[in-house]
Amino acid sequence: MWRSLLHRGTACLLQQAARGSPRMLFQRQYSSLCVRLITQKYTRRLAVAACFPQRPQWGTDCLPVSVTRMYNKDTKSTADIPVNPITVTDIKHYLRSKDIPFYDGYSCLHAPSIFVDSSGAPAGSGKDNFTMFIDKTTGQFLCKNTLVEGSWEDLQDCLEVLQKEGQAFISPHVLLGYANSPEEQEERERELREVQSIWSSSVPLSDLPDDEVQLIKTMFQITKVSNATLKRFGVRLFKPTKSLVFPWFGGPSSSLKGVKLLSAQSTDTGKVTYPEATVPRTSSYYNLFGLPLVGRMDSEVVLTGHELDTLSVSQATGLPSIALPRGVSCLPPVLLPYLEQFKRVTLWLGGDMRSWEASKIFSRKLGLKRCSLVRPGEYQPCPVEALAQGKNLSRIIKASIPAAHKSIVSFRQLREDVYGELANTEQVAGVKWTRFPELNRILKGHRKGELTVFTGPTGSGKTTFISEVALDLCMQGVNTLWGSFEINNVRLAKIMLTQFAMQRLEENLEQYDFWADKFEELPLYFMTFHGQQNVKTVLDTMQHAVYLYDINHVIIDNLQFMMGQENLSVDKFAVQDHIIGAFRKFATNSSCHVTLIIHPRKEEDDRELQTASIFGSAKASQEADNILILQEKKLVTSPGRRSLQVTKNRFDGDVGIFPLDFLKASLTFTAPIKGKHKLRKVNKPENEEGQSDEVSLKKEEGNVKKEKAERAAKSPKTPRAVKTPATGKETVPK
């Protein structure tokens, strides 16, 4: 059974190679939400089946018939933003006031751990005892010896207790002893059982026959990766799903904390995709794969976006290599302390433009001065492809370019960037919408670092439309932050969940848990603001969210709610110009797309909105990269006709307008079917006679008008008599 399935999977891969794919490129699109969710639930069911004698009933498509929902009570629906953001100056000032020694790291401050008794430490150990790391941006701390972590407020409380009681250190159980809720404890225990069952059911590749190992390597395109490398990194095979298993060892005892499973699937088009599934879920998976093999004295590391890339780099170069747990989508700040020991960090996250953009963003967190980037290209693909093609990986790493750059550059420094944009026009255009193909035709895609201004008449559905536009991108892996000042987050989440499920869940409450579980996995966050807000507070929150969650898209609904908090004596147009300039600067510096909703100035109902209709001065239209207007032509006897107009597109200049139909059942917008009015006429044969009579009457009227015109042209014109004032006689002019 197993060998037949394996041969079938290998056959589909070899068939694709025979169709003319000489290099068998490794597909990097792992962000398909549905595939990941299905694979995750499928894998979890298989794990349970491996532990218990009774197997669940399976459907025809190899999926379990029943789905059990495990609800996490404290699931975060809003971004975890501090009320008063801390600065590195504040942190240093406080530590000095408590006589805590520290020194500057790349992204963290290093200090002696207050959770370890250092009285018995050998003299002269120096910075080796500085094992507590404090994030310079958030104040989050981590003790690497005890793995105690917490917020800046937690650390302040601990230091106050130490000073008050005169102790040298504090027990780590003060923070580790926080009791979890019964739901959290049950969820954690269930995940640990799944991890153990998957790991115990998986088989080391060294225990398999050589022919099976070769087939597995062919399926995952790692034929050049040696068995010794796979064994050294602890890679196993989970036979029920034909998946590679990558372990997550962590904690003081280096115990097994989680696993990632990589599967191979053939699509209808003949391509092979590689979906991933993690236990625990992705939001709780913080495995730096390859970190246990890094020595304490190693000062150089290569960061990759995938475990197979780490295997390739380690084998080909001998350099320490670590795979980021979430690929190019996010670098959680909680992992930064584990990378502080390296003086040189090379980021080789993949071979496409998305990986290149992620490398530049991650290097800001890690410290620009120590980071080097491998530019993707034809001769520098992702590491696993480079190894398969026989390229020199050490030479590629040595040719990496520094992340830091000077304020003035010449075309020589820009030459490769320009070539990259010309050679990858589709990727440079940005993420495509799946629900709005007409928007792709005009704007070409959604790009980072741009400012979009969106406006429309009051009550036309601006929030509903832009929520679907943002949801479309979020479903494709674009990390999204919503700032809704008009409606509260519960109502907004209800709208987006309805759009996500494409149906009214009020009428299908039994399906709520199913769709809520899927919706919960989206990289979607909400600000907790409502009503009037200060623009500085909003910008600080956005900057904090970009650092924590690598936000790519921020929606502000709407700008007018930030103008009331400013000084009333200042001109309101000057205040608006200041706010728009601040958002423009944020979008550029943070490489984050900002969509800003602005109400239009009051216009007559029968007039269409224009760029000049945007409230305020011309600053908004000048600073914006894109301007979208939701037009609504109000009718007396029926709902208004809506259309979306693009009046500015700085990327390539294309503008246009296309109609929209609103589907109330799912709160979604869609382009109407072309020619539907013509189809209605054809489908009504009883009106054909009346239509033919009307057409013939129009033809007769046209013929009469034509004959009159011809007569007038043929008849000579008689000169008009003019009366002379002097004589009173009429004369005809010659």
Side-chain angles (χ1 to χ4, degrees):
M1 176 67 179
W2 158 244
R3 291 185 62 85
S4 63
L5 290 174
L6 186 60
H7 280 290
R8 264 187 284 173
T10 307
C12 77
L13 182 62
L14 296 178
Q15 287 174 4
Q16 183 197 359
R19 290 174 185 170
S21 178
R23 294 190 297 170
M24 294 199 305
L25 295 179
F26 187 81
Q27 187 158 338
R28 312 293 296 179
Q29 302 297 330
Y30 308 118
S31 59
S32 175
L33 182 67
C34 296
V35 171
R36 183 163 55 83
L37 289 172
I38 291 173
T39 306
Q40 187 171 1
K41 291 183 178 180
Y42 174 42
T43 305
R44 291 184 174 184
R45 287 285 182 170
L46 285 173
V48 174
C51 294
F52 299 96
Q54 291 184 349
R55 295 180 58 86
Q57 298 297 322
W58 300 93
T60 56
D61 54 351
C62 297
L63 291 178
V65 175
S66 61
V67 178
T68 303
R69 178 174 186 263
M70 299 302 297
Y71 175 61
N72 187 358
K73 179 180 179 181
D74 295 329
T75 299
K76 295 181 181 178
S77 61
T78 57
D80 187 13
I81 309 298
V83 178
N84 298 315
I86 195 71
T87 64
V88 64
T89 304
D90 298 333
I91 297 175
K92 291 180 178 180
H93 179 74
Y94 182 82
L95 293 178
R96 291 191 184 102
S97 67
K98 299 298 181 183
D99 295 328
I100 303 294
F102 65 88
Y103 69 91
D104 264 297
Y106 297 101
S107 55
C108 301
L109 296 177
H110 300 222
S113 176
I114 62 174
F115 303 98
V116 177
D117 185 6
S118 58
S119 58
S125 56
K127 294 183 178 181
D128 292 340
N129 292 330
F130 286 58
T131 57
M132 186 170 66
F133 300 88
I134 306 171
D135 193 293
K136 294 181 181 180
T137 304
T138 64
Q140 188 89 6
F141 75 92
L142 169 70
C143 173
K144 290 183 68 175
N145 288 340
T146 60
L147 296 184
V148 174
E149 60 181 2
S151 65
W152 172 243
E153 290 76 14
D154 294 334
L155 182 59
Q156 286 179 305
D157 293 341
C158 292
L159 290 174
E160 294 294 338
V161 170
L162 279 179
Q163 187 178 31
K164 183 177 180 180
E165 299 186 1
Q167 298 179 358
F169 69 100
I170 191 170
S171 172
H173 296 288
V174 171
L175 292 180
L176 290 177
Y178 286 152
N180 295 329
S181 64
E183 293 85 356
E184 288 180 330
Q185 190 66 26
E186 182 182 356
E187 174 77 5
R188 182 57 184 158
E189 292 176 357
R190 184 184 64 84
E191 288 177 341
L192 288 176
R193 288 196 301 268
E194 290 182 7
V195 170
Q196 292 295 338
S197 63
I198 293 174
W199 185 247
S200 60
S201 302
S202 59
V203 182
L205 294 179
S206 58
D207 295 347
L208 296 175
D210 293 340
D211 56 343
E212 289 191 14
V213 174
Q214 193 62 30
L215 287 174
I216 291 294
K217 290 183 178 180
T218 304
M219 288 179 63
F220 292 95
Q221 305 182 36
I222 54 173
T223 54
K224 295 292 185 67
V225 178
S226 65
N227 295 341
T229 301
L230 295 171
K231 183 177 181 180
R232 188 161 62 93
F233 281 86
V235 181
R236 292 188 177 186
L237 178 70
F238 187 61
K239 287 189 175 183
T241 56
K242 299 181 293 183
S243 305
L244 292 180
V245 182
F246 304 102
W248 173 19
F249 294 106
S253 59
S254 297
S255 59
L256 183 65
K257 301 180 65 176
V259 292
K260 176 184 285 190
L261 292 96
L262 180 68
S263 305
Q265 295 181 355
S266 178
T267 62
D268 297 336
T269 59
K271 294 183 179 179
V272 179
T273 60
Y274 298 89
E276 297 177 349
T278 62
V279 184
R281 64 175 59 190
T282 306
S283 58
S284 303
Y285 187 78
Y286 296 104
N287 179 26
L288 287 172
F289 181 74
L291 183 64
L293 300 179
V294 176
R296 292 186 58 186
M297 303 304 295
D298 290 330
S299 60
E300 182 178 357
V301 69
V302 179
L303 295 183
T304 68
H306 195 267
E307 287 77 8
L308 297 183
D309 291 336
T310 290
L311 298 176
S312 303
V313 170
S314 177
Q315 176 178 305
T317 65
L319 294 173
S321 182
I322 295 174
L324 300 180
R326 304 180 194 178
V328 300
S329 63
C330 180
L331 174 57
V334 70
L335 301 177
L336 296 179
Y338 298 99
L339 304 174
E340 280 288 299
Q341 75 178 74
F342 304 108
K343 297 180 180 179
R344 174 182 168 87
V345 178
T346 303
L347 289 95
W348 192 356
L349 300 183
D352 55 5
M353 292 302 296
R354 186 184 179 191
S355 304
W356 174 243
E357 292 295 331
S359 299
K360 292 188 286 186
I361 294 174
F362 293 171
S363 63
R364 299 175 187 174
K365 289 186 180 183
L366 296 166
L368 293 174
K369 293 183 179 180
R370 64 166 174 166
C371 290
S372 298
L373 314 179
V374 175
R375 186 192 305 275
E378 181 180 359
Y379 301 102
Q380 295 184 166
C382 63
V384 70
E385 292 178 11
L387 182 65
Q389 297 171 18
K391 297 186 180 298
N392 191 327
L393 275 68
S394 298
R395 184 177 301 173
I396 294 176
I397 293 174
K398 289 181 180 179
S400 59
I401 60 177
H405 61 278
K406 298 179 181 179
S407 299
I408 300 177
V409 296
S410 65
F411 180 72
R412 183 176 183 182
Q413 282 79 32
L414 303 176
R415 179 168 179 162
E416 292 299 325
D417 289 328
V418 174
Y419 177 79
E421 294 209 359
L422 294 175
N424 302 277
T425 54
E426 285 297 320
Q427 298 180 24
V428 171
V431 181
K432 302 293 189 295
W433 288 274
T434 58
R435 300 190 180 191
F436 302 97
E438 289 296 321
L439 203 55
N440 293 329
R441 180 180 61 83
I442 301 175
L443 289 180
K444 305 303 182 292
H446 179 271
R447 295 166 290 277
K448 297 179 181 179
E450 292 189 351
L451 175 65
T452 295
V453 170
F454 179 62
T455 189
T458 302
S460 60
K462 294 188 296 295
T463 301
T464 305
F465 174 76
I466 208 66
S467 67
E468 186 181 8
V469 171
L471 176 64
D472 188 341
L473 298 169
C474 189
M475 292 171 64
Q476 301 179 66
V478 177
N479 301 338
T480 305
L481 176 66
W482 250 101
S484 176
F485 307 107
E486 271 195 338
I487 64 175
N488 59 47
N489 290 330
V490 175
R491 284 190 58 196
L492 178 61
K494 175 186 172 184
I495 292 173
M496 299 186 73
L497 181 60
T498 303
Q499 294 172 337
F500 181 70
M502 300 290 287
Q503 60 177 313
R504 287 275 188 180
L505 293 176
E506 296 96 325
E507 304 169 359
N508 302 280
L509 287 178
E510 69 279 359
Q511 299 183 23
Y512 175 78
D513 285 346
F514 173 77
W515 289 109
D517 283 346
K518 288 188 175 183
F519 189 76
E520 191 178 304
E521 292 292 330
L522 294 177
L524 178 63
Y525 304 90
F526 301 90
M527 299 187 203
T528 56
F529 302 134
H530 188 65
Q532 299 285 348
Q533 293 297 330
N534 181 275
V535 63
K536 185 179 183 303
T537 305
V538 175
L539 287 171
D540 288 342
T541 302
M542 292 164 54
Q543 191 66 52
H544 195 82
V546 167
Y547 181 79
L548 282 180
Y549 308 111
D550 291 300
I551 297 297
N552 307 131
H553 187 200
V554 178
I555 304 99
I556 300 296
D557 183 18
N558 59 63
L559 177 137
Q560 276 80 357
F561 277 90
M562 283 174 286
M563 296 175 60
Q565 291 290 322
E566 303 299 326
N567 192 347
L568 297 179
S569 63
V570 182
D571 179 21
K572 61 180 180 180
F573 294 121
V575 173
Q576 178 175 335
D577 291 349
H578 166 71
I579 295 174
I580 293 174
F583 281 117
R584 168 75 270 179
K585 184 178 179 181
F586 170 84
T588 303
N589 294 343
S590 302
S591 189
C592 178
H593 193 114
V594 177
T595 298
L596 188 60
I597 301 177
I598 305 177
H599 283 305
R601 60 182 55 158
K602 297 301 180 182
E603 300 277 5
E604 296 181 6
D605 292 341
D606 58 346
R607 293 185 58 184
E608 288 190 348
L609 298 180
Q610 301 176 354
T611 302
S613 303
I614 300 174
F615 181 83
S617 66
K619 179 79 170 178
S621 58
Q622 291 171 355
E623 294 285 0
D625 296 288
N626 313 293
I627 296 179
L628 308 182
I629 302 176
L630 185 62
Q631 302 282 8
E632 183 182 28
K633 187 175 182 180
K634 295 185 178 180
L635 304 176
V636 178
T637 59
S638 62
R641 296 176 181 174
R642 297 180 179 89
S643 58
L644 185 69
Q645 184 177 7
V646 180
T647 61
K648 183 178 181 181
N649 175 12
R650 189 171 281 168
F651 179 69
D652 67 351
D654 286 352
V655 295
I657 186 171
F658 59 91
L660 290 172
D661 282 347
F662 179 64
L663 305 179
K664 191 173 182 180
S666 58
L667 303 179
T668 57
F669 290 83
T670 181
I673 302 174
K674 294 183 178 180
K676 65 178 182 179
H677 301 294
K678 188 180 296 183
L679 292 175
R680 288 177 183 172
K681 290 182 179 180
V682 172
N683 292 335
K684 294 182 179 179
E686 63 273 13
N687 294 335
E688 289 180 357
E689 185 177 353
Q691 290 175 2
S692 61
D693 293 342
E694 185 179 355
V695 171
S696 61
L697 181 60
K698 289 183 178 180
K699 286 184 178 180
E700 290 178 3
E701 291 177 356
N703 293 334
V704 171
K705 290 181 180 180
K706 188 175 181 181
E707 289 176 2
K708 288 183 179 180
E710 290 176 356
R711 286 181 205 162
K714 291 180 181 180
S715 61
K717 294 183 178 179
T718 305
R720 184 181 178 184
V722 179
K723 199 172 187 177
T724 306
T727 61
K729 297 181 179 180
E730 293 182 352
T731 59
V732 179
K734 295 181 180 180

